[in-house]
Amino acid sequence: MEIKRYFVIGNPINHSLSPKLQNYWIKQHNINAVYEKLKLEENEIESFIDKIRNQKIDGCNITVPFKKKVIPFLDKLSFEAEKTQSVNTIINNGGNLIGHNTDIYGFEKAIKSLNFDMKGKKVLILGAGGVVPSIIFALKKMQASQIILTNRTKKKAEDIKKQFYDLVFIDWGQVTDFDVVINATSLGLNNEFINLDFSNSGDKKLFYDVIYNPEETNFLKEGKKLGNQTENGKLMFIFQAFEAFKLWHGIEPKISSGTLEILNND
Ligand code: ATR
């Protein structure tokens, strides 16, 4: 049988650890497949997706900034992808290209594996980028009581409100009372600080960062110093990949200490 080909597309794409993880599982399960990263320009998306249609490629993941841009070229969206207008996984189901969103599952599983009960919690989200609609969807599913959004560019936060009507906004620079604060900005990827003051926010909250490389951002360091529980985005990343793997290969890959280790810095 011919080797199956999978990709993660985005721009930039160099930082993506998806190939490392997917190829590790592919090997572990003796699947005849290969998973690569591919940097695309926006005008190349259509022809790339045509290749999935023509079975030259068997499926793909999508990362920043194309999670919404792929949608016009697909035949169908899963319920979650439709609700969030965000697709991170494409499968070819007998000629029908279906867009899935496994980021939601990833976030939900990551929170559950902390044994953290999100029900009734007040959540402050920093940022309004590509992954935020998925996080909001998952938070609502877990029955968070209030979701507060803050983003440097107000327009982007307002666009998200069109999808989720009962959000609260605060201006960038302000901090409200919260039980959980989530960094969904890109600040921290290169050791930046987030210019927000959490020193009056109390302690024993959950500081969650979507970033997992570096393992501990300045945001998490600060949270820890102030006496809070902290968690990075590594499990979210692993669980979104787990669900994509299952969609393509029909197998649940193993998540072991080895899986966690291969994502550590080389
Ligand atoms: P995209 O915006 O293309 O979806 P992303 O990496 O998913 O990209 O999102 C980046 C997030 O980090 C955005 O919320 C961005 O804020 P803006 O909407 O104002 O661009 C936020 N971000 C990046 N650099 C920032 C900075 N220096 N200060 C504050 N927020 C920043």
Side-chain angles (χ1 to χ4, degrees):
M1 217 166 63
E2 222 174 293
I3 188 163
K4 295 205 169 190
R5 299 181 72 200
Y6 300 87
F7 286 89
V8 54
I9 60 168
N11 193 344
I13 198 64
N14 231 344
H15 67 281
S16 174
L17 290 177
S18 291
K20 221 171 171 180
L21 181 54
Q22 294 288 346
N23 286 318
Y24 174 81
W25 280 333
I26 283 170
K27 204 170 153 204
Q28 209 171 40
H29 292 275
N30 285 315
I31 296 168
N32 189 20
V34 63
Y35 184 111
E36 296 163 75
K37 54 188 165 195
L38 184 64
K39 182 175 155 188
L40 287 186
E41 299 303 325
E42 192 176 337
N43 62 11
E44 296 171 313
I45 295 175
E46 185 169 12
S47 64
F48 175 83
I49 292 180
D50 271 346
K51 288 185 192 151
I52 307 180
R53 203 174 281 289
N54 302 330
Q55 293 172 295
K56 290 193 174 76
I57 294 170
D58 296 90
C60 75
N61 280 137
I62 301 103
T63 186
V64 176
F66 299 140
K67 289 184 183 188
K68 190 180 167 77
K69 299 212 165 83
V70 297
I71 291 178
F73 310 114
L74 303 176
D75 302 314
K76 219 182 136 193
L77 299 181
S78 72
F79 176 73
E80 290 87 352
E82 177 74 46
K83 284 287 176 205
T84 51
Q85 288 293 296
S86 175
V87 167
N88 81 324
T89 306
I90 297 175
I91 65 168
N92 186 344
N93 186 5
N96 270 322
L97 297 191
I98 307 177
H100 287 265
N101 177 332
T102 73
D103 289 326
I104 297 169
Y105 174 87
F107 181 73
E108 198 181 347
K109 283 288 282 187
I111 293 297
K112 291 205 166 135
S113 61
L114 292 177
N115 277 325
F116 187 89
D117 187 6
M118 200 52 88
K119 193 171 172 181
K121 299 293 193 296
K122 200 167 169 182
V123 184
L124 172 62
I125 302 178
L126 317 177
V131 78
V132 169
S134 304
I135 289 178
I136 294 172
F137 188 96
L139 287 171
K140 283 173 164 280
K141 211 172 145 200
M142 292 185 275
Q143 297 179 287
S145 62
Q146 195 178 25
I147 301 172
I148 305 144
L149 208 60
T150 184
N151 192 53
R152 179 182 59 179
T153 311
K154 215 171 176 180
K155 164 88 175 62
K156 268 211 242 164
E158 281 165 1
D159 285 346
I160 292 183
K161 195 171 167 72
K162 287 179 196 151
Q163 288 164 264
F164 303 97
Y165 52 91
D166 53 350
L167 298 177
V168 175
F169 292 104
I170 58 171
D171 284 336
W172 184 250
Q174 292 186 346
V175 172
T176 50
D177 180 41
F178 61 82
D179 302 305
V180 179
V181 58
I182 300 172
N183 177 33
T185 73
S186 48
L187 292 171
L189 278 173
N190 296 304
N191 276 318
E192 303 95 323
F193 286 83
I194 305 177
N195 204 5
L196 296 175
D197 183 8
F198 296 108
S199 60
N200 296 317
S201 299
D203 57 4
K204 301 194 175 60
K205 321 272 182 186
L206 173 62
F207 275 56
Y208 186 94
D209 204 320
V210 172
I211 296 171
Y212 58 90
N213 187 12
E215 220 160 323
E216 193 174 54
T217 56
N218 291 318
F219 167 75
L220 292 186
K221 279 184 189 146
E222 166 82 0
K224 197 183 253 178
K225 210 171 74 193
L226 292 169
N228 301 285
Q229 181 181 356
T230 60
E231 183 68 19
N232 72 18
K234 196 188 230 180
L235 278 179
M236 177 181 179
F237 173 72
I238 290 176
F239 281 119
Q240 65 74 30
F242 170 97
E243 196 61 10
F245 188 95
K246 199 169 136 191
L247 283 168
W248 295 322
H249 308 299
I251 301 171
E252 292 193 352
K254 270 200 286 285
I255 297 176
S256 60
S257 54
T259 323
L260 294 163
E261 268 162 35
I262 60 156
L263 297 179
N264 288 346
N265 274 333
D266 298 304

